[in-house]
Amino acid sequence: MQDLSAHIMDIAQNSIRANATRVEIDVDERDTLAITIRDNGEGMNEETAKRVTDPFFTSRATRRVGLGIPLLVQNAEATGGSVTIRSSPGQGTTVVALFTRSHLDCPPAGDIPGTIVLLAAANPGVEVRYRHATGKGEYSFNSTEAREFLGEVPLDDPEIVAALREMIAENIKEIQTQ
Amino acid sequence: MEKIKTLADLKRIKENVQAKIELRERSERPGELVQVKVAMATCGIAAGSKETMNYFIDHLDKNGIRAVVTQTGCMGYCYAEPTVEISKPGKEPIVFGGVTPARAEEIIQRYLKNDELVEGIIPVNYRSV
Ligand SMILES: Nc1ncnc2c1ncn2[C@@H]1O[C@H](COP(=O)(O)OP(=O)(O)O)[C@@H](O)[C@H]1O
Ligand SMILES: [Mg+2]
């Protein structure tokens, strides 16, 4: 994965596939960089949750390796960080990835605002929440609120997608510390 | 242009889009949408499927093609990512492999606008849902 936004998109796809109706993405830069992806999907039993960091585990039928979580683990650990997964059947899943930002191997952020909007636009039945906190402040976005504001206008209209991406990016720029 | 910082700042854009949609509804038959599904699993994302999806969203509209662009899971063609399944109205879906933004442009200009076949079609017996 070339950047953190690609990991976010990928881990969130697991939530979508687990039939989540709510996916929350938290980026917290106040201490070490923490990315949390929390869903209310089907969850996993203990055995499955333990095995997901193994690249040869997947519940897919289309191929025999599941690389999403192992790649996240590899990238986080390369910076001295870690990945924790909490899950239980019927309760949903929380994935927390810690990265040491100052580490040379820490991937760049990438287009996080664009990723959040694509996720919201492509999954109309899912509430996408995003919160970003830095030492300077906090910003949050909620796709349900955006849809309510838009009314009949679809969130996946290209002009709306572009405008929402810009809105999120402007707010993140404002709380950026360097 | 003024900066967009809150949903309220989107009001003008929202109204423009609404007007655009109303105009379109009066002038076109409904149900003539092109469906574009971008495979968004690990290998697709690593190969740039996010950029491909953004490209389709922007450029279908710019070319006046009415389409819905959505995500789908792994289609099983890791070697050919980013993969995209395209269904034109009244036609069988076609899966294209290696769809970089440049290839997406080619698909828009040749397959979607002119009904020409382009390279990179993956013969499928698998159909996404
Ligand atoms: N949020 C989640 N909810 C339920 N199951 C999950 C979730 N995330 C991962 N899993 C399980 O872990 C497996 C491995 O995930 P991953 O490493 O991303 O590979 P892949 O998605 O390609 O299978 C999935 O196939 C699924 O069974
Ligand atoms: Mg996955």
Side-chain angles (χ1 to χ4, degrees):
Chain A
M1 293 290 161
Q2 64 242 22
D3 57 41
L4 298 173
S5 79
H7 278 299
I8 291 174
M9 180 60 104
D10 187 37
I11 299 302
Q13 296 300 318
N14 288 345
S15 305
I16 307 283
R17 205 153 58 87
N19 295 314
T21 55
R22 193 177 63 241
V23 180
E24 292 170 70
I25 294 149
D26 283 4
V27 180
D28 191 334
E29 301 186 54
R30 282 173 298 188
D31 194 8
T32 51
L33 172 59
I35 299 176
T36 305
I37 293 151
R38 195 180 301 111
D39 69 56
N40 66 348
E42 283 152 12
M44 293 172 264
N45 59 33
E46 218 172 300
E47 219 227 294
T48 309
K50 249 188 260 153
R51 287 173 63 197
V52 290
T53 50
D54 174 358
F56 294 103
F57 176 76
T58 179
S59 58
R60 291 177 184 286
T62 44
R63 63 181 144 78
R64 301 236 298 284
V65 287
L67 286 178
I69 293 174
L71 280 174
L72 179 68
V73 172
Q74 182 180 310
N75 271 347
E77 288 181 350
T79 73
S82 61
V83 174
T84 320
I85 299 165
R86 279 193 306 269
S87 188
S88 57
Q91 301 290 308
T93 300
T94 302
V95 177
V96 183
L98 301 177
F99 290 85
T100 310
R101 267 239 296 196
S102 54
H103 198 287
L104 223 64
D105 290 330
C106 190
D111 179 18
I112 294 178
T115 298
I116 300 298
V117 179
L118 271 193
L119 201 56
N123 300 284
V126 179
E127 174 168 281
V128 178
R129 294 190 197 169
Y130 165 58
R131 197 171 66 216
H132 198 132
T134 70
K136 237 173 146 185
E138 195 178 307
Y139 171 72
S140 60
F141 170 81
N142 179 322
S143 68
T144 305
E145 264 169 36
R147 283 186 198 279
E148 273 161 17
F149 167 81
L150 290 169
E152 287 166 25
V153 173
L155 196 152
D156 68 353
D157 180 277
E159 286 179 62
I160 300 295
V161 168
L164 288 174
R165 192 193 305 162
E166 188 192 323
M167 177 183 85
I168 296 174
E170 279 299 329
N171 283 283
I172 300 308
K173 219 192 314 171
E174 201 134 285
I175 57 170
Q176 229 38 263
T177 41
Q178 80 284 89
Chain B
M1 220 175 76
E2 265 179 52
K3 280 189 182 162
I4 305 171
K5 294 213 56 194
T6 63
L7 286 174
D9 299 338
L10 248 80
K11 197 156 173 285
R12 255 232 321 281
I13 297 172
K14 176 190 159 187
E15 285 162 1
N16 288 345
V17 171
Q18 182 124 41
K20 178 181 80 180
I21 291 170
E22 277 162 16
L23 207 71
R24 204 159 59 192
E25 273 168 3
R26 259 182 273 138
S27 63
E28 267 175 63
R29 285 165 300 159
E32 299 278 274
L33 288 177
V34 172
Q35 302 247 14
V36 178
K37 292 183 190 168
V38 183
M40 199 63 75
T42 308
C43 9
I45 296 168
S49 54
K50 249 168 4 108
E51 289 71 25
T52 299
M53 183 167 175
N54 266 325
Y55 195 91
F56 274 113
I57 291 176
D58 284 348
H59 290 80
L60 288 166
D61 195 58
K62 282 184 186 143
N63 283 278
I65 298 168
R66 294 260 285 125
V68 258
V69 183
T70 53
Q71 300 175 342
T72 168
C74 175
M75 296 200 264
Y77 309 111
C78 306
Y79 58 92
E81 297 291 353
T83 50
V84 176
E85 183 192 281
I86 298 186
S87 322
K88 291 179 83 163
K91 291 227 166 95
E92 281 292 302
I94 293 184
V95 177
F96 294 90
V99 187
T100 57
R103 294 286 323 282
E105 181 63 29
E106 195 189 350
I107 291 170
I108 291 173
Q109 298 308 332
R110 297 184 49 200
Y111 179 61
L112 291 175
K113 286 181 129 175
N114 282 336
D115 253 327
E116 289 169 44
L117 289 180
V118 299
E119 268 174 62
I121 293 175
I122 301 177
V124 267
N125 39 29
Y126 168 84
R127 186 89 60 77
S128 82
V129 280

